Amino acid sequence: MSLMAPIAEPPELKRFSGPQRAAALMLALGKEHGAPIWEQLSTEEIKELSSNIAGLGRVPSTVVEHLLIQFTGEVASMASMHGSYETTERLLGGILPNEKVREIMEDIRGPSGRTMWDKLSNVSESVLAGALKHEYPQTVAVILSKLRPDHAARVLAELPREFSVDVIMRMLRMETVQKDVINQVEQTLKSEFMTNLSRSQKRDPHEAMAELFNSLDRSTEEAMLTALDNKAPESAERIRALMFTFEDLAGLLPAAVAVIVRNADKREMALALKGAPEELKKLFFGAMTERAAKLMREDMSAMGPVRARDCEEAQSTLVRLAKNLADRGEILLVDPKSDDAMII
């Protein structure tokens, strides 16, 4: 048997809801293996999961085994995990004091790096020079002496000429800088420059617009994007790249498609698949039993000609169902436009 072949679902699994399956999985993982997951949950999520564990009762070993294999297989198939600052802040808020969360978020929202000087080396020279030209030349000299030479050189080139010469002269005359001076400069950079920089980094409005377009019906969506093509073609292209469409369901794992099939209205699903690409039809039929797939094909044939708009509305309904299932943690929703990142 192929290692990638879908694992047969035990009949008893149908008795358990999504939250109950998550509870059974966490119970099976135990304290040692489950601890890293518990630490990432918000207070409300911990309460909900704990409540489901408390009322779980007896779980057949076949169900536990299936959940563990499915979980391992799906996570192993992900290339990476994709989160957001908002998700991280929400999770941290459930386990840490607000002041500590703010400190951590201010730190991680800044350019990546292990130390403040690493982070500054990842700030563009124009942005850094724009901030440093208002500082005392001696302070700038201390800062540039801690940066990588190539980055410091680019920052110097961006500074006003007279100011940059003054900074160079101070760097030439500078002896070993006392540690407390370095610490003071570092603290000032952290509390002022990096915080201001992070506040200026706002969410790409195209992401919010893509979410809005995902909720439009197909004809309105295309009309809007066509209009944008004429007025702002780059924005239209960016929005299209960020949208999750019906065709993107082809990137889901077979186990996730099986969950969608179980939860979908059969009439809606038949209508959605009526106008679907052949590859997507095969994926959905493959997630059904042979008898169910045969009945679905018969239903689709019996429909006869259908309006394209009706198919598109049914497809949008199926996409919304997939997103709702992902929000509830019942499936892993893979977006092929995001390098197979897992959206949580």
Side-chain angles (χ1 to χ4, degrees):
M1 185 175 89
S2 169
L3 290 176
M4 296 303 291
I7 301 162
E9 246 186 37
E12 301 93 338
L13 188 65
K14 291 184 173 62
R15 292 195 290 109
F16 297 89
S17 65
Q20 287 175 325
R21 295 179 192 188
L25 178 63
M26 293 303 295
L27 199 58
L29 289 174
K31 180 179 178 181
E32 181 182 352
H33 300 295
I37 299 176
W38 284 106
E39 290 171 3
Q40 298 300 312
L41 301 179
S42 68
T43 301
E44 289 304 314
E45 288 167 333
I46 290 174
K47 286 180 180 178
E48 183 181 1
L49 195 53
S50 300
S51 175
N52 277 283
I53 290 176
L56 201 55
R58 178 183 169 276
V59 182
S61 60
T62 52
V63 170
V64 177
E65 183 182 9
H66 179 81
L67 290 173
L68 286 170
I69 293 173
Q70 185 182 50
F71 175 75
T72 304
E74 291 192 2
V75 172
S77 299
M78 297 299 101
S80 61
M81 294 189 76
H82 174 75
S84 66
Y85 292 123
E86 291 74 17
T87 303
T88 304
E89 192 166 9
R90 178 174 61 83
L91 293 177
L92 290 176
I95 55 176
L96 295 174
N98 290 338
E99 186 178 342
K100 187 67 175 175
V101 172
R102 280 196 299 272
E103 180 184 344
I104 292 172
M105 293 309 299
E106 285 174 3
D107 194 30
I108 68 173
R109 280 181 187 269
S112 60
R114 288 171 299 173
T115 69
M116 181 55 59
W117 311 109
D118 290 332
K119 293 178 186 298
L120 281 181
S121 291
N122 288 316
V123 176
S124 74
E125 56 268 18
S126 58
V127 172
L128 190 49
L132 294 182
K133 68 182 180 182
H134 302 297
E135 299 292 333
Y136 290 111
Q138 185 63 42
T139 302
V140 178
V142 172
I143 292 171
L144 293 188
S145 69
K146 296 288 290 181
L147 298 183
R148 295 194 317 266
D150 60 326
H151 192 57
R154 291 194 297 271
V155 174
L156 273 173
E158 293 281 338
L159 291 170
R161 183 55 53 86
E162 188 176 342
F163 185 85
S164 64
V165 171
D166 191 358
V167 170
I168 290 171
M169 294 300 295
R170 291 169 187 270
M171 291 176 73
L172 288 171
R173 294 195 299 265
M174 192 165 55
E175 298 178 359
T176 304
V177 182
Q178 294 180 354
K179 188 175 181 180
D180 60 337
V181 174
I182 293 288
N183 290 339
Q184 185 178 355
V185 171
E186 189 172 349
Q187 188 58 43
T188 301
L189 286 169
K190 181 178 180 180
S191 62
E192 295 180 11
F193 176 68
M194 279 301 177
T195 300
N196 291 334
L197 181 64
S198 69
R199 285 172 183 164
S200 68
Q201 294 175 337
K202 298 180 180 178
R203 184 189 182 194
D204 184 351
H206 294 86
E207 293 182 17
M209 194 54 62
E211 291 179 5
L212 187 152
F213 272 58
N214 272 331
S215 299
L216 294 174
D217 63 82
R218 189 71 61 88
S219 58
T220 305
E221 169 198 310
E222 283 304 320
M224 294 286 191
L225 285 172
T226 300
L228 269 180
D229 281 330
N230 297 325
K231 293 182 176 293
E234 290 184 4
S235 291
E237 183 179 350
R238 175 74 177 145
I239 290 170
R240 281 193 178 95
L242 289 167
M243 289 176 64
F244 193 91
T245 66
F246 178 69
E247 286 71 23
D248 291 333
L249 292 177
L252 295 185
L253 296 166
V257 176
V259 176
I260 295 173
V261 168
R262 285 198 304 274
N263 286 272
D265 177 273
K266 297 302 179 279
R267 167 76 183 176
E268 284 279 350
M269 185 163 57
L271 191 54
L273 293 178
K274 178 87 173 176
E278 199 58 38
E279 178 189 357
L280 203 50
K281 288 179 182 175
K282 288 180 181 177
L283 180 64
F284 272 79
F285 290 145
M288 305 176 194
T289 63
E290 189 174 339
R291 181 173 178 276
K294 182 184 177 184
L295 290 173
M296 181 68 68
R297 288 192 182 94
E298 290 174 354
D299 287 345
M300 290 164 62
S301 298
M303 286 180 183
V306 294
R307 290 190 307 171
R309 180 170 180 173
D310 291 338
C311 282
E312 290 166 359
E313 288 178 357
Q315 290 171 359
S316 296
T317 300
L318 214 55
V319 170
R320 285 194 294 273
L321 171 63
K323 289 181 177 179
N324 289 337
L325 290 169
D327 289 341
R328 299 205 303 260
E330 295 186 38
I331 66 171
L332 299 178
L333 191 60
V334 181
D335 183 352
K337 300 189 186 94
S338 299
D339 298 326
D340 288 335
M342 184 174 73
I343 302 175
I344 55 176

